[in-house]
């Protein structure tokens, strides 16, 4: 253990030897790369027996202890951060595993029992407490301008924003700005954001698309003026702490699986509805550490850059070769949290695959090779819209992953079919089921995963499939209604969580960004609102 590095480097090589705290507070590396651990730890030899009865929190602690040096966060503090993060969850097991279709060994990992009912709560509740921990420590005994103040700026299509706000509301020395495209989030998602009126929470409603919001955030992070006055911090899944937090539920799901009466000693495949590749990348880290999954299955919607990569000869490109007219256009689907053009976190995987497949004799040389390869690929992505990886890298990717693309029609059909045919019995309070028929209601993102799981089951009968449920269906009422209205036993109000009721009557706080102000206009709004917030505190 003492030999583990527990330091971090940038995928593009310009920064290395960084501490966990540095990479969490910095978010993105200065060279544009993403932070990765210098070394991936293994689960201890006896983890399957020793850890078997650990709570979710204790597993989270054990996993994170491997990645975070003791000298950075002492164990008592780390436990406290973790316990506070998950005590807000609505389910005692935090991420329970449900036998969705026991006959076919299909299990559903319910990741939506956090405060905003999406899997992103697992990481963002924790990230909020981490930021707070580091800031309290840095600011001890300091006053006024000497205090480090974080300005979190994030773009959202709905889920990241609400989970980030929930994780950061009321925290000292942090202001959080969330840019969302007005009219394009679901009504519930919007309410989850704008009904939070804490002084440090700033909702910015932008006239435009999610990509416009994202571009503004990138421009702000690159802006010298902004950086001169503010310490910007990131909450999207480029932040390493988010990936780290998500490793826990893969391992937790395994213990629930082997304890379930329906468990047979069969191969395990894990299916993950994917957009920015953060969730499934956590599964890959778990697998590298020793989580015994046979394959990780990427499930994409019609924004299928990842699926196209796996079906090509290793070409990662924004432009589908057979329909170049589609270039640089995100499709709006029923699973908006997965509507992306490029998957940022794929860069992290490519780094490791490049490193692992390189045959240089020293670790240093292999590391340098990986950084150079990734830098060149990402530069091609920017200038030419795509890049090609060597066969060895593609092969290495294929030993770990498979991919499936699921259309809008299949998404809706899967919600309908699941409701009509799946009546899981080992569900707990808060599972979205019909009280009349027992039919299970999937959210559209989860449905993409289930459709992919069904195909994987066809090819691998008998294998256990854990399919990740990334959101509660009540967050995506229109897709769920489209699939289920008129079906016997379906009433939307019945699956509505208690905490969603009455939101529309609450007080709201949101700044409408006038159209045409550009990113500089948004920068001025951010600066003015931080200034005002800080004055309110003095
Ligand atoms: C964010 C999100 C996803 C995609 O996760 P990635 O980590 O970006 O791959 C899937 N489903 C829901 C509901 C989400 O909010």
């Amino acid at each position: 253990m003492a030999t583990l590095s527990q330091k971090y480097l940038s995928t593009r090589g310009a920064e290395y030897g960084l501490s966990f705290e540095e990479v969490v507070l910095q978010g993105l590396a200065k060279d544009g790369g993403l932070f990765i651990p210098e070394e991936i730890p293994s689960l201890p030899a006896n983890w399957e027996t020793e850890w078997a009865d650990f709570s979710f929190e204790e597993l989270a602690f054990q996993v994170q202890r491997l990645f975070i040096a003791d000298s950075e966060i002492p164990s008592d503090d780390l436990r406290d951060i973790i316990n506070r993060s998950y005590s807000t969850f609505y389910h005692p097991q935090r991420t329970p595993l449900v036998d969705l279709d026991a006959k076919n060994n299909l299990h559903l990992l319910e990741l939506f029992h956090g405060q905003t009912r999406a899997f992103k709560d697992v990481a963002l509740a924790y990230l909020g407490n981490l930021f707070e921990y580091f800031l309290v420590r840095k600011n001890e005994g300091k006053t006024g301008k000497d205090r480090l103040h974080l300005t979190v700026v994030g773009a959202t299509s709905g889920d990241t924003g609400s989970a980030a706000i929930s994780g950061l509301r009321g925290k000292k020395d942090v202001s959080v700005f969330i840019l969302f495209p007005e009219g394009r989030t679901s009504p519930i998602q919007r309410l989850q954001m704008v009904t939070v009126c804490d002084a440090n929470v700033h909702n910015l409603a932008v006239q435009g698309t999610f990509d416009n919001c994202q571009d503004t955030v990138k421009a702000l992070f690159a802006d010298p003026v902004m950086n001169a006055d503010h310490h910007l911090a990131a909450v999207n899944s480029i932040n390493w702490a988010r990936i780290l937090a998500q490793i826990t539920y893969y391992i937790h799901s395994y213990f629930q699986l082997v304890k379930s009466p329906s468990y047979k000693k069969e191969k395990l495949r894990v299916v993950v509805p994917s957009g920015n590749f953060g969730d499934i990348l956590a599964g890959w880290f778990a697998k590298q550490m020793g989580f015994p999954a046979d394959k990780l299955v990427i499930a994409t919607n019609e924004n299928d850059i990842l699926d196209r990569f796996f079906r090509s000869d290793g070409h990662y490109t924004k432009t589908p070769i057979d329909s170049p007219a589609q270039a640089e256009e995100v499709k709006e689907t029923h699973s908006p949290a997965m509507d992306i053009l490029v998957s940022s976190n794929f860069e992290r995987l490519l780094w490791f695959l490049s490193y692992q497949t390189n045959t240089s004799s020293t670790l240093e040389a292999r590391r340098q090779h990986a950084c150079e390869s990734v830098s060149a690929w990402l530069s091609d992505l920017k200038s030419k819209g795509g890049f090609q990886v060597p066969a060895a890298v593609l092969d290495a990717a294929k030993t770990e992953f498979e991919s499936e693309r699921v259309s809008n029609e299949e998404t809706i059909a899967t919600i309908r079919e699941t409701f009509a045919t799946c009546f899981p019995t080992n569900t707990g309070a808060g599972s979205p089921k019909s009280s009349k028929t027992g039919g299970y209601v999937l959210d559209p993102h989860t449905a993409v995963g289930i459709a992919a799981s069904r195909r994987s089951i066809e090819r691998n009968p008998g294998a256990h499939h854990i399919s990740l449920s990334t959101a509660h269906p009540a967050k995506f009422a229109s897709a769920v209604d489209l699939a289920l209205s008129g079906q016997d036993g379906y009433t939307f109000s019945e699956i509505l969580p208690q905490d969603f009721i009455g939101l529309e009557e609450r007080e709201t706080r949101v700044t409408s960004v006038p159209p045409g102000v550009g990113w500089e206009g948004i920068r001025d709004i951010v600066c003015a609102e931080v200034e005002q917030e800080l004055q309110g505190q003095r």
Side-chain angles (χ1 to χ4, degrees), residues 39-62:
E39 192 180 342
I40 302 174
S42 295
L43 297 174
N46 54 0
W47 73 279
E48 270 196 78
T49 48
E50 291 275 292
W51 292 11
D53 296 318
F54 283 176
S55 64
F56 183 92
E57 281 86 339
E58 185 60 22
L59 279 180
F61 169 77
Q62 296 293 344

Side-chain angles (χ1 to χ4, degrees), residues 118-120 159 237 273-279 337-338 443 445 470-471 476:
F119 90 95
K120 291 186 170 73
D159 276 359
S237 58
S274 294
N276 219 7
F277 204 72
D279 197 358
M338 291 151 60
D443 107 283
H445 305 79
T470 50
F476 300 95

Side-chain angles (χ1 to χ4, degrees), residues 307-359:
D307 187 63
R308 284 185 282 111
F309 172 81
F310 279 91
R311 291 177 200 285
S312 74
D313 57 354
H315 212 69
Y316 186 82
T317 168
K318 292 189 211 174
T319 316
I321 291 162
D322 50 357
S323 56
Q326 257 186 40
E328 318 245 337
E329 284 276 346
V330 174
K331 290 191 200 170
E332 279 186 50
T333 72
H334 292 310
S335 42
M338 291 151 60
D339 289 349
I340 48 86
L341 208 54
V342 296
S343 301
S344 313
N345 277 295
F346 201 51
E347 176 170 350
R348 287 186 159 117
L349 176 71
L350 290 177
W351 190 95
F352 281 103
L353 296 181
S354 175
Y355 174 80
Q356 291 170 348
T357 54
N358 186 252
T359 51

Side-chain angles (χ1 to χ4, degrees), residues 77-333:
D77 293 355
L78 185 57
R79 278 211 163 85
D80 181 56
I81 292 168
I82 289 167
N83 291 343
R84 281 189 291 116
S85 303
Y86 300 119
S87 64
T88 60
F89 274 51
Y90 293 104
H91 196 287
Q93 277 175 297
R94 311 316 183 206
T95 59
L97 189 70
V98 163
D99 290 335
L100 188 68
D101 176 359
K103 201 169 104 261
N104 285 302
N105 289 342
L106 175 57
H107 317 270
L108 191 70
L109 184 62
E110 291 184 344
L111 299 175
F112 53 71
H113 294 284
Q115 284 287 300
T116 71
R117 307 284 181 176
F119 90 95
K120 291 186 170 73
D121 289 321
V122 175
L124 284 164
Y126 166 73
L127 184 62
N129 287 318
L130 260 187
F131 279 156
E132 180 179 50
Y133 176 78
F134 291 140
L135 287 170
V136 166
R137 186 160 72 183
K138 277 188 187 295
N139 288 336
E140 202 187 327
K142 294 186 182 156
T143 53
K145 291 250 181 262
D146 290 341
R147 296 182 75 85
L148 173 62
H149 183 91
L150 289 188
T151 304
V152 166
V153 188
T156 189
S157 62
D159 276 359
T160 303
S162 45
I165 288 170
S166 166
L168 287 166
R169 63 185 297 180
K171 300 269 190 244
K172 208 170 161 53
D173 297 317
V174 189
S175 304
V176 51
F177 287 83
I178 297 297
L179 281 65
F180 68 87
E182 185 70 287
R184 294 183 191 239
T185 68
S186 81
I188 268 289
Q189 288 175 317
R190 185 179 192 282
L191 283 169
Q192 285 182 311
M193 296 188 278
V194 301
T195 57
V196 178
C197 297
D198 297 65
N200 74 329
V201 172
H202 308 262
N203 285 292
L204 304 183
V206 176
Q207 306 297 324
T209 62
F210 167 68
D211 284 299
N212 300 143
C213 295
Q214 180 105 306
D215 288 344
T216 299
V217 170
K218 283 188 189 152
L220 294 176
F221 270 83
D223 178 39
V225 178
M226 191 78 202
N227 281 291
D229 291 340
H230 297 266
H231 186 118
L232 293 182
V235 286
N236 52 7
S237 58
I238 60 164
N239 196 308
W240 163 251
R242 281 190 54 181
I243 310 291
L244 174 59
Q246 289 166 187
I247 296 174
T248 307
Y249 52 68
Y250 285 90
I251 296 167
H252 189 248
S253 76
Y254 176 72
F255 286 125
Q256 293 183 82
L257 176 68
V258 297
K259 282 182 202 163
S260 124
S262 63
Y263 179 68
K264 304 167 199 80
K265 248 189 153 356
E266 294 285 354
K267 290 198 165 156
L268 170 61
R269 299 167 73 85
V270 183
V271 185
V272 186
S274 294
N276 219 7
F277 204 72
D279 197 358
I280 198 165
L281 183 73
W284 179 82
F285 275 103
K287 195 168 179 306
Q288 292 287 300
M289 295 168 76
F291 165 64
D294 188 52
K295 268 294 191 247
L296 301 167
V297 181
I298 301 162
T300 77
N301 64 21
E302 296 178 12
N303 294 292
D304 57 354
I305 186 167
L306 290 166
D307 187 63
R308 284 185 282 111
F309 172 81
F310 279 91
R311 291 177 200 285
S312 74
D313 57 354
H315 212 69
Y316 186 82
T317 168
K318 292 189 211 174
T319 316
I321 291 162
D322 50 357
S323 56
Q326 257 186 40
E328 318 245 337
E329 284 276 346
V330 174
K331 290 191 200 170
E332 279 186 50
T333 72

